[in-house]
Amino acid sequence: MKNRIVAIDTLRGFALLGILLMNMASFAMPSMAYYNPTVYGGDDIWNRMVFSFSYIFADQKMMGLFSMLFGASVMLVTTNMEKKGQNPLWFHYIRNFWLLIIGLIHATFIWEGDILMIYAACSFVLYWFRKMSPKWQLGIGLFVFFIPALLNLGITAVSPTFTAEDTAYIETSWQPSADDIANELALYRGNYGDWIDDSWESSGATLAAELIDLSFMVEFFARAFGMMLVGMAFYSWGILTAKKSPDFYKKMAWIGFGIGLPMAILSLSLYSINGWDALYSTFNGRIPNHIATPFVASGYIALIMLWSKSSLAVNLQNRFAAVGRMALTNYIGQSLIGTTIFYGFGFGLFGYLDRVQQLGIIGLIWVFQLLFSTWWLNRFQYGPLEWVWRILSHRRWQPLQKKQAAQVVH
């Protein structure tokens, strides 16, 4: 059982570090540059290659992995409590209520791109699916996951009825003007309070604005909840706990990457073929990569499980597992580091570094978290925020210091 838990932790650490490939763009550049490489961040071949690599291998896939692991953790925690004769209902809701509060604080005062609130909100419904057959969990999970694709197809179908105001809103949102870019640069390089006020402003009252907001909100929740259900099924089948044979994982990797990577490449190619057109890119353009996500995520799971079952680079594997065990601390830590580097309350480098230069920052944060997480867990039982979350969830004091300082991460 110990090795299987380490396998989950290693996968979680991999996903957490991988998420930074995408989140760094949000820390460092105007918001639409996350989706549209023609907006900002360097339009030469090297910067386009960085965008393409991140889009194909990380965009949505790492969040998909993280969501699957969240679903698996719900199964793990509730099942272990039931084995001890305890009812997990109230503990689950108290635990995720505090996750919601942590996410709210994160989104309000550190970085508006928080995902913890969405995870916590999903968990309140997810609890009631844990006893369902894994086949049903997988089927319902995939159905929910693909709802955004159907919604975007529907919005595109009614797009001929858009007014000139709607069309203009979509175009200016997708391709902000030089003045809009300048205003965003000044905002994030400037006063901290101004950024907090701006992050909660409404996007507008046009039909197009409401449909864009609806599309992204449905996508965030459906992606998260759908992959959580898939994660529950994968946990029950032993896929996430390294119980399957090497041949199983090799076949899983071939299928996952064999379908997912070409689909992600096709998605990126279609953006270029359509000239990064605003209407296409905002709605239908997101569908192929959406389809690719569960396949690529499954390929990553297979590779990490194979690694966990091997003796290859065990020390590095332990460091990834340490990052995974401190996922909450490291996730918030990435936001603190990123915003301190780029926002006005810190060094104010927002908009100054292109995508290639951002890779250097990503690499330094990876190295720091791999080293720090291992150092910390060799001395303490939990990560700092994990410890606080545990106290709040259990409603009693939890010891932090390890009784035996020489104990290893495993």
Side-chain angles (χ1 to χ4, degrees), residues 34-259:
Y34 181 99
Y35 304 99
N36 184 356
T38 69
V39 169
Y40 207 86
D43 208 24
D44 60 279
I45 186 171
W46 294 108
N47 282 287
R48 279 298 188 99
M49 285 176 65
V50 172
F51 175 86
S52 299
F53 177 87
S54 300
Y55 181 87
I56 293 167
F57 291 98
D59 184 34
Q60 298 191 33
K61 293 82 174 178
M62 297 303 172
M63 180 186 167
L65 267 181
F66 222 65
S67 301
M68 292 167 75
L69 289 164
F70 187 90
S73 72
V74 170
M75 293 289 288
L76 179 63
V77 170
T78 57
T79 300
N80 284 344
M81 291 187 69
E82 287 172 335
K83 286 180 180 178
K84 297 175 183 177
Q86 301 171 344
N87 187 337
L89 176 64
W90 288 113
F91 178 78
H92 173 84
Y93 278 91
I94 291 170
R95 184 172 187 258
N96 286 288
F97 165 77
W98 285 114
L99 183 65
L100 180 67
I101 298 302
I102 293 170
L104 182 62
I105 294 170
H106 179 224
T108 304
F109 298 107
I110 303 175
W111 181 53
E112 69 269 33
D114 173 78
I115 195 63
L116 300 178
M117 290 191 296
I118 291 177
Y119 278 24
C122 288
S123 75
F124 299 145
V125 179
L126 188 69
Y127 179 87
W128 303 102
F129 287 80
R130 63 197 179 86
K131 295 293 186 181
M132 185 175 286
S133 160
K135 290 183 179 179
W136 277 98
Q137 289 172 339
L138 178 65
I140 294 175
L142 291 175
F143 173 78
V144 171
F145 179 83
F146 287 119
I147 286 175
L150 299 175
L151 176 62
N152 285 329
L153 284 172
I155 292 173
T156 302
V158 302
S159 62
T161 65
F162 286 171
T163 65
E165 185 181 14
D166 291 322
T167 302
Y169 179 85
I170 293 172
E171 290 176 350
T172 55
S173 296
W174 181 252
Q175 194 72 51
S177 67
D179 286 342
D180 288 337
I181 294 292
N183 289 336
E184 192 169 355
L185 291 174
L187 176 69
Y188 285 88
R189 291 172 183 171
N191 184 275
Y192 181 53
D194 291 343
W195 163 72
I196 292 176
D197 292 339
D198 181 80
S199 66
W200 292 98
E201 287 183 1
S202 172
S203 58
T206 66
L207 174 61
E210 292 173 351
L211 288 175
I212 290 174
D213 288 346
L214 174 65
S215 175
F216 277 95
M217 188 58 66
V218 168
E219 181 171 329
F220 286 142
F221 277 97
R223 276 190 342 204
F225 190 76
M227 287 294 95
M228 287 175 190
L229 285 173
V230 173
M232 283 183 156
F234 278 19
Y235 175 81
S236 297
W237 284 326
I239 295 173
L240 290 174
T241 51
K243 285 184 178 179
K244 298 294 185 179
S245 68
D247 286 343
F248 174 91
Y249 289 118
K250 289 175 184 176
K251 184 179 295 185
M252 183 177 176
W254 276 108
I255 294 173
F257 290 135
I259 296 175

Side-chain angles (χ1 to χ4, degrees), residues 298-375:
S298 296
Y300 286 140
I301 290 171
L303 289 186
I304 297 299
M305 293 303 108
L306 284 170
W307 187 23
S308 298
K309 293 168 77 71
S310 74
S311 58
L312 179 66
V314 174
N315 184 57
L316 181 60
Q317 188 180 143
N318 291 341
R319 293 188 183 278
F320 271 92
V323 172
R325 285 179 60 192
M326 288 175 51
L328 180 60
T329 295
N330 283 317
Y331 174 68
I332 301 295
Q334 288 177 0
S335 296
L336 285 170
I337 296 170
T339 53
T340 298
I341 292 172
F342 294 104
Y343 287 11
F345 64 83
F347 296 102
L349 294 180
F350 189 84
Y352 285 114
L353 303 185
D354 63 23
R355 296 180 193 273
V356 173
Q357 293 168 325
Q358 290 166 35
L359 278 181
I361 304 295
I362 292 170
L364 290 174
I365 295 174
W366 282 353
V367 171
F368 169 74
Q369 293 194 322
L370 286 165
L371 294 175
F372 174 75
S373 299
T374 305
W375 177 87

